[in-house]
């Protein structure tokens, strides 16, 4: 109950954090094989270097593209770009063609512009199969931006020369080509904290919930064991209601879930920075965090009691309890993000108590929310908890245990 979620939090946060760093901070190694020594090809090299996503490694020690493929297979780099020997020629042809089309309706008869076919620039992009499709799309978009930049530059040159019969001044060319509308990036959060979530903020709440619900193995087995060895019968002889014993057992395990949360949160705050992971930043609204943790613990204990009541053997309780927690975690968004699930799963996802637990934690940890923001997640969680309690007591009464 304590060790497994801690290991999961450390391992998965480490893996996800390295992915975040690759996307946000580190540059992707790219092999560049330039067969063209003309000016447009050299400018494309400069444009690719300015993208900021690539760590360009020019290769000169290969004979053909087959050698380049072998370099990718040995994982010197996951991506390779080949600029063909006719790249500059095709760029100039296309620039003249587009400029001619732009000026054909203007009363300017220019002999220098020849209309040619609108050829596609044959730049090749090789990638290793291990690279995910979404990442390949990002690389392709960056490459297309660099290609479009070079193409636009020569189109502007041709149009200016056709109109003014002289080369475009360097200052004007720079002003036209680099004139882009700035975009201001602002993280949106309910608490207006402007913090960008990291792998720790995502994983610590998720695996804390997983740890809480995994008490089903211990608590469920305890209920089954008491049914089998006659402890429940002896408890019924006491001069009090048997429900008090069940509630007392749940209170004990709710305290265990609170301790689990405290341990995992402490590891995120103090151990993670020591092993190179981002530290966990607790929400500003500490009472809301305590309330969410308490309600999640009560729901986890209710689920465990329900499994224990309806299981006939300890093996059945352990097996069904563990499998059901993994399934609820999968459809609840702990294993797979909820926003990538198909629409047909949305209703099923809302039946998982782990989904509402996770949404409540995310409102606090990722969006900087407070107590008023989490009620829409707490109410469904309370409804599910009450239903589990009713089902458990119905099972006890049906089996004549109370």
């Amino acid at each position: 109950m304590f060790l497994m979620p801690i290991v999961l939090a450390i391992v998965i946060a480490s893996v996800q954090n390295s992915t975040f760093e690759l996307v946000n901070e580190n540059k992707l190694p790219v092999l560049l094989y330039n067969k063209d020594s003309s000016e447009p090809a050299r400018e494309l090299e400069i444009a690719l270097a300015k993208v900021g996503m690539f760590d360009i490694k020019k290769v000169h020690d290969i004979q053909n593209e087959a050698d380049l493929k072998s370099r990718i297979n040995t994982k010197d780099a996951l991506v390779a770009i080949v600029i063909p020997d006719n790249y500059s020629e095709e760029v100039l042809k296309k620039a003249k063609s587009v400029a001619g089309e732009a000026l054909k309706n203007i009363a300017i008869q220019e002999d220098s512009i020849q209309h040619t076919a609108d050829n596609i620039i044959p730049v090749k992009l090789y990638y290793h199969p291990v690279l995910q499709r979404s990442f390949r799309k990002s690389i392709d978009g960056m490459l297309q931006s660099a290609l479009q930049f070079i193409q636009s530059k020569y189109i502007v040159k041709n149009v200016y020369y056709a109109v003014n019969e002289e080369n475009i001044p360097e200052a004007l060319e720079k002003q036209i080509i680099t004139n882009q509308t700035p975009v201001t990036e602002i993280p949106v959060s309910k608490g207006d904290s402007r913090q960008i979530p990291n792998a720790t903020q995502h994983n610590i709440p998720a695996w804390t919930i997983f740890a809480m619900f995994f008490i089903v193995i211990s608590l469920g087995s305890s209920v089954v064991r008491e049914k089998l060895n006659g402890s429940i019968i002896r408890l019924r002889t006491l001069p009090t209601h048997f429900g008090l014993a069940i509630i007392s057992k749940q209170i004990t395990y709710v305290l265990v879930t609170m301790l689990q949360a405290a341990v995992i949160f402490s590891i995120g705050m103090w151990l993670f920075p020591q092993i190179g992971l981002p530290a966990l930043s607790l929400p500003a609204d500490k009472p809301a965090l305590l309330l969410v943790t308490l309600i999640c613990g009560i729901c986890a204990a209710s689920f465990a009691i329900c499994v224990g009541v309806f299981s006939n053997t300890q093996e059945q309780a352990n097996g069904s309890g563990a499998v059901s927690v993994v399934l609820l975690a999968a459809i609840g968004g702990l294993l797979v993000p909820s926003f990538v699930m198909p629409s047909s799963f949305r209703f099923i996802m809302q039946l998982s108590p782990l989904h509402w637990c996770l949404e409540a934690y995310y409102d606090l940890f990722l969006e900087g929310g407070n107590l008023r923001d989490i009620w829409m997640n707490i109410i469904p969680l309370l409804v599910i908890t009450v239903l589990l309690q009713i089902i458990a007591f119905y099972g006890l009464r049906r089996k004549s245990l109370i």
Side-chain angles (χ1 to χ4, degrees):
M1 290 190 297
F2 285 88
L3 183 61
M4 181 187 65
I6 290 173
V7 173
L8 286 173
I10 294 175
V11 172
I12 297 179
S14 301
V15 173
Q16 196 177 84
N17 185 65
S18 63
T19 305
F20 281 1
E21 288 181 348
L22 178 62
V23 175
N24 298 326
E25 300 176 9
N26 297 343
K27 293 184 178 182
L28 183 70
V30 175
L31 299 178
L32 179 62
Y33 181 32
N34 190 355
K35 299 180 181 180
D36 192 344
S37 59
S38 300
E39 183 179 356
R42 293 195 300 270
E43 290 178 345
L44 179 59
E45 289 186 11
I46 298 173
L48 289 172
K50 289 182 178 179
V51 165
M53 182 180 180
F54 302 137
D55 179 16
I56 303 294
K57 299 179 180 179
K58 296 181 64 176
V59 291
H60 304 284
D61 55 343
I62 61 176
Q63 301 296 325
N64 48 47
E65 294 182 25
D67 294 340
L68 187 66
K69 294 178 183 179
S70 65
R71 294 279 293 272
I72 294 180
N73 289 331
T74 57
K75 294 187 179 180
D76 284 357
L78 298 178
V79 179
I81 298 173
V82 178
I83 303 177
D85 50 9
N86 63 336
Y87 171 77
S88 299
E89 179 184 351
E90 294 293 336
V91 166
L92 296 176
K93 282 183 180 179
K94 189 172 182 179
K96 289 181 180 180
S97 175
V98 174
E101 290 293 327
L103 296 172
K104 68 180 181 180
N105 295 324
I106 303 177
I108 297 177
Q109 298 296 327
E110 72 291 342
D111 297 330
S112 59
I113 295 181
Q114 299 177 357
H115 298 272
T116 59
D118 190 11
N119 296 320
I120 299 175
I121 307 302
V123 173
K124 297 180 182 179
L125 177 65
Y126 293 99
Y127 62 88
H128 196 279
V130 74
L131 206 60
Q132 294 183 355
R133 185 172 182 270
S134 59
F135 211 69
R136 296 201 307 268
K137 289 294 183 182
S138 300
I139 296 170
D140 182 69
M142 294 293 184
L143 179 57
Q144 292 294 337
S145 298
L147 291 170
Q148 188 63 40
F149 174 80
I150 300 300
Q151 189 67 66
S152 300
K153 179 177 181 178
Y154 282 92
I155 291 173
V156 169
K157 283 185 175 182
N158 278 273
V159 172
Y160 187 90
Y161 185 84
V163 174
N164 299 281
E165 296 184 351
E166 62 179 8
N167 292 327
I168 184 172
E170 184 177 349
L172 179 60
E173 176 189 348
K174 183 177 181 180
Q175 181 181 357
I176 294 174
I177 298 298
T178 61
N179 186 21
Q180 298 179 349
T181 303
V183 177
T184 302
E185 297 183 0
I186 303 176
V188 177
S189 61
K190 294 178 180 178
D192 202 28
S193 62
R194 297 291 186 265
Q195 293 183 355
I196 300 177
N198 51 48
T200 300
Q201 302 292 102
H202 278 274
N203 283 283
I204 288 295
W207 298 115
T208 299
I209 297 169
F210 194 76
M212 288 180 177
F213 277 81
F214 237 80
I215 65 168
V216 66
I217 294 179
S218 177
L219 180 52
S221 298
S222 174
V223 174
V224 174
R225 187 167 55 250
E226 290 178 358
K227 289 193 300 179
L228 296 178
N229 63 19
S231 296
I232 287 183
I233 297 176
R234 290 193 293 272
L235 287 172
R236 289 179 60 188
T237 63
L238 296 176
T240 184
H241 194 276
F242 177 71
L244 181 62
I246 295 294
I247 293 174
S248 301
K249 185 183 291 290
Q250 292 185 59
I251 291 174
T252 301
Y253 277 88
V254 168
L255 294 177
V256 171
T257 62
M258 300 290 285
L259 181 59
Q260 285 177 313
V263 169
I264 299 175
F265 288 167
S266 299
I267 288 174
M269 293 171 61
W270 294 306
L271 177 62
F272 274 25
Q274 304 301 320
I275 59 177
L277 294 174
L280 177 69
S281 177
L282 292 181
D285 194 342
K286 302 299 189 299
L289 176 62
L290 181 62
L291 177 64
V292 170
T293 304
L294 177 61
I295 294 176
C296 290
I298 295 173
C299 187
S302 302
F303 174 75
I305 287 288
C306 197
V307 170
V309 167
F310 286 93
S311 298
N312 296 320
T313 64
Q314 288 184 267
E315 292 78 9
Q316 193 177 65
N318 292 341
S320 61
V323 171
S324 60
V325 169
V326 173
L327 289 176
L328 291 173
I331 66 175
L334 272 72
L335 305 183
V336 179
S338 57
F339 63 85
V340 302
M341 290 185 179
S343 56
S344 58
F345 267 74
R346 297 300 169 87
F347 175 74
I348 301 176
M349 176 180 65
Q350 295 177 359
L351 298 178
S352 172
L354 282 77
H355 167 71
W356 299 108
C357 294
L358 187 64
E359 290 297 314
Y361 269 133
Y362 276 0
D363 277 348
L364 297 176
F365 279 94
L366 302 183
E367 300 185 26
N370 52 35
L371 188 59
R372 290 175 298 179
D373 300 316
I374 62 176
W375 279 112
M376 294 306 296
N377 297 316
I378 288 180
I379 291 175
L381 193 57
L382 289 174
V383 172
I384 294 174
T385 301
V386 172
L387 288 176
L388 290 172
Q389 292 282 351
I390 293 174
I391 294 172
F393 276 88
Y394 168 76
L396 290 171
R397 184 172 294 278
R398 182 182 178 184
K399 296 186 177 185
S400 302
L401 297 176
I402 56 174

